Amino acid sequence: MNYLTTIQLHESKRNVINDIQLWSMNKTLKLPSITSCNPISYIKHVSLPLYLVYCCPITVYTDDPDTSDYFKTRLVETPLSNGKSGVGLLCQVDSNTFLVFYYEDNVKVLVLSFSKFLETLPQLDIQSIPKNTLLDLRPPKRIRTNTTIIDKIIEKKKQRSNSFIANPNTTKGNTSSSSSVLTNQEQINTAINKIIFSGLRIRGLSSNVASSLNDKLTIKEIHQMTFKATQFALRKHNYSFNKRETKKPLRLNDLQDIIENLLQLFVDVE
């Protein structure tokens, strides 16, 4: 094992990590001038481009327990607590040299050098690269297709009736049914029952759904009171002092208004 150098890591002005010894199996390896570094952030060391790596991974040793605890916290405990793996601590030496500390059986460091890359970059002759190896960033030509079939399908869909839009004929029928005239007592009683049950269901009251016997009896009592009160309210049309030359017919919407007012009186609480 070949000893290379010992460096410092400046976590902050007051917190300096000392005795970071760099060792390598390569006895002829010579590093750039490195005395200290400053941490920047975490980075995935497994995704680093090889052309930036200066040499093989270097092993880190230390005789300082504080330094050992620092790397244990920053390289093992912190990444694992955040659910991260395969990450290292990126530190800057100078504008062209960076270090990446990571843990793999023991603490290691990768030296990243931009100097060689910057030296090689001007030597790349972009013009000599064959054109077919470059990415063509021009927008692709739009191919016109025959849309006759698609147009026919769209036209057929437009002609279909939309189930979510009310049919005018149906709307007229519903309007006439809501204002239909009730001509005999049987029709009136049937309509009263249906409207009362509907009003109770809207309020969440149903003897079939009620959990207790008391609730079922109460709902039944409300139904009976509303039924009798509605019949009593309709008697006003037969009073002699209310009789007119032309008797006003009883319509379904009039009956709905009476029952709704009664249910508000018997059930609803403001």
Side-chain angles (χ1 to χ4, degrees):
M1 187 72 74
N2 181 32
Y3 169 77
L4 299 175
T5 186
T6 299
I7 64 174
Q8 293 179 326
L9 189 150
H10 293 267
E11 179 77 16
S12 63
K13 291 182 178 180
R14 296 183 179 180
N15 186 16
V16 179
I17 310 302
N18 297 304
D19 192 39
I20 302 175
Q21 303 174 22
L22 305 184
W23 294 73
S24 174
M25 296 296 293
N26 188 351
K27 295 182 179 181
T28 61
L29 176 62
K30 292 184 179 181
L31 292 177
S33 177
I34 302 174
T35 57
S36 63
C37 60
N38 301 306
I40 300 175
S41 66
Y42 284 100
I43 187 174
K44 276 189 170 290
H45 66 275
V46 293
S47 302
L48 290 171
L50 292 177
Y51 55 79
L52 294 179
V53 179
Y54 183 82
C55 60
C56 293
I58 297 172
T59 306
V60 177
Y61 290 101
T62 184
D63 296 322
D64 190 337
D66 292 335
T67 301
S68 178
D69 291 340
Y70 174 82
F71 282 117
K72 179 181 178 182
T73 302
R74 295 300 298 268
L75 301 183
V76 180
E77 294 178 356
T78 301
L80 290 178
S81 64
N82 290 279
K84 303 292 184 181
S85 60
V87 296
L89 181 63
L90 177 66
C91 301
Q92 184 175 10
V93 177
D94 53 45
S95 58
N96 292 328
T97 308
F98 294 82
L99 301 178
V100 179
F101 293 93
Y102 66 96
Y103 182 82
E104 191 176 276
D105 297 331
N106 50 25
V107 179
K108 296 182 180 180
V109 62
L110 288 173
V111 180
L112 307 181
S113 177
F114 285 83
S115 300
K116 291 184 178 180
F117 174 71
L118 294 175
E119 291 174 2
T120 308
L121 190 60
Q123 300 175 9
L124 295 176
D125 187 2
I126 303 298
Q127 300 298 328
S128 64
I129 300 177
K131 292 183 179 180
N132 58 1
T133 63
L134 298 177
L135 292 176
D136 187 2
L137 300 180
R138 292 174 298 177
K141 294 182 179 180
R142 187 174 181 180
I143 302 175
R144 296 184 63 86
T145 57
N146 189 355
T147 60
T148 305
I149 298 176
I150 299 175
D151 293 339
K152 288 182 179 180
I153 294 173
I154 295 174
E155 187 64 27
K156 286 183 179 179
K157 285 187 176 181
K158 288 182 179 179
Q159 293 175 357
R160 293 176 185 172
S161 60
N162 192 335
S163 59
F164 293 97
I165 299 177
N167 191 332
N169 297 328
T170 306
T171 306
K172 290 179 181 178
N174 292 337
T175 305
S176 60
S177 63
S178 64
S179 59
S180 59
V181 178
L182 302 174
T183 57
N184 56 60
Q185 191 61 41
E186 184 179 356
Q187 289 181 348
I188 294 173
N189 292 341
T190 302
I192 292 173
N193 276 321
K194 288 183 178 180
I195 297 171
I196 293 174
F197 282 127
S198 177
L200 291 174
R201 282 196 299 269
I202 291 174
R203 290 167 170 81
L205 301 176
S206 174
S207 57
N208 296 328
V209 180
S211 57
S212 65
L213 180 61
N214 289 334
D215 290 343
K216 292 182 179 181
L217 293 175
T218 302
I219 294 170
K220 186 176 181 181
E221 184 181 15
I222 293 171
H223 178 274
Q224 291 176 349
M225 287 192 304
T226 308
F227 186 87
K228 291 180 180 179
T230 304
Q231 287 185 323
F232 189 83
L234 294 177
R235 291 174 62 181
K236 65 182 179 180
H237 296 286
N238 297 325
Y239 294 150
S240 58
F241 49 80
N242 282 339
K243 287 186 177 180
R244 301 177 182 177
E245 294 181 0
T246 56
K247 186 177 180 180
K248 184 180 178 181
L250 178 62
R251 299 182 181 276
L252 186 61
N253 52 3
D254 297 330
L255 199 59
Q256 289 174 337
D257 292 338
I258 295 172
I259 294 173
E260 180 60 28
N261 290 331
L262 289 171
L263 288 175
Q264 289 179 3
L265 181 64
F266 295 153
V267 179
D268 297 346
V269 178
E270 295 183 357

